[in-house]
Amino acid sequence: MPEAVSSTAAAEETGEDAEMSRKLPLPRFVSLKSARVNLRVGPGKDYAVSWLFTKPGLPVEIIQEYDLWRRIRDAEGTEGWVYHSLLSGERTALAAPWLKGKKDATIMMHRAAAQDGAVVAEMEPGVVTKVRECSFGWCQVEAGGRKGFVSQNEMWGVYPDERF
């Protein structure tokens, strides 16, 4: 009997973007796949580039779709269009970017999903983390070689009470 393959695995295997293999809800968070991503004013290569992202793994929110183009929003509220293949389904998040520039602002990464859990790392606002899963108000993340849990409301890149 052949082994079952998820649509995500099948899409990755064929080089197709995972989100093209099934219709996904809007809005949703994804991350930038490439080190150079042009943000355009409209859905097509003929539209002007309004911004250039240079950080792969940066979380963005897809807010609209048109053919193979995705309208995205970043943590600062900048919006524009990118080609679907420049996006990844890998979930990432930013540690409390709204605290950037605030003196002594840190986000605690705990060993366990509890406020009184041992702290394994202190992150500056804006640090990009890989998000493994979220449930019950906590996300299991990895950043700078450290793994732990961060309160879901201290992350941009996951929705409140989102579980995955």
Side-chain angles (χ1 to χ4, degrees):
M1 175 177 243
E3 183 178 317
V5 177
S6 71
S7 58
T8 302
E12 288 172 353
E13 200 172 277
T14 62
E16 177 183 311
D17 190 62
E19 63 182 73
M20 294 307 297
S21 61
R22 65 192 189 289
K23 188 68 175 161
L24 296 172
L26 291 175
R28 68 181 176 275
F29 283 106
V30 295
S31 59
L32 300 180
K33 189 187 292 185
S34 176
R36 292 182 55 84
V37 176
N38 288 329
L39 188 69
R40 296 183 179 273
V41 297
K45 289 187 178 182
D46 293 337
Y47 287 93
V49 173
S50 60
W51 189 257
L52 174 65
F53 288 107
T54 58
K55 188 167 182 85
L58 192 70
V60 294
E61 184 178 32
I62 296 177
I63 55 175
Q64 189 178 355
E65 297 177 328
Y66 178 79
D67 195 23
L68 298 177
W69 291 84
R70 305 293 179 258
R71 185 175 181 148
I72 62 167
R73 177 185 306 134
D74 70 9
E76 296 176 359
T78 302
E79 294 183 10
W81 293 87
V82 299
Y83 194 66
H84 76 97
S85 66
L86 299 173
L87 302 172
S88 168
E90 181 177 34
R91 293 297 294 270
T92 63
L94 294 174
W98 53 88
L99 295 177
K100 267 187 170 181
K102 299 225 170 133
K103 187 175 166 84
D104 300 325
T106 57
I107 297 82
M108 304 300 172
M109 182 188 299
H110 300 269
R111 185 175 319 283
Q115 213 50 48
D116 60 355
V119 174
V120 296
E122 293 182 14
M123 298 183 292
E124 292 181 2
V127 168
V128 177
T129 67
K130 291 181 181 179
V131 181
R132 301 296 175 217
E133 63 180 275
C134 291
S135 62
F136 302 106
W138 290 89
C139 294
Q140 185 179 18
V141 301
E142 181 180 341
R146 301 283 178 103
K147 294 179 184 179
F149 294 85
V150 175
S151 176
Q152 203 160 348
N153 63 7
E154 294 184 307
M155 306 296 288
W156 189 91
V158 297
Y159 295 108
D161 301 322
E162 180 182 15
R163 292 184 184 182
F164 62 92

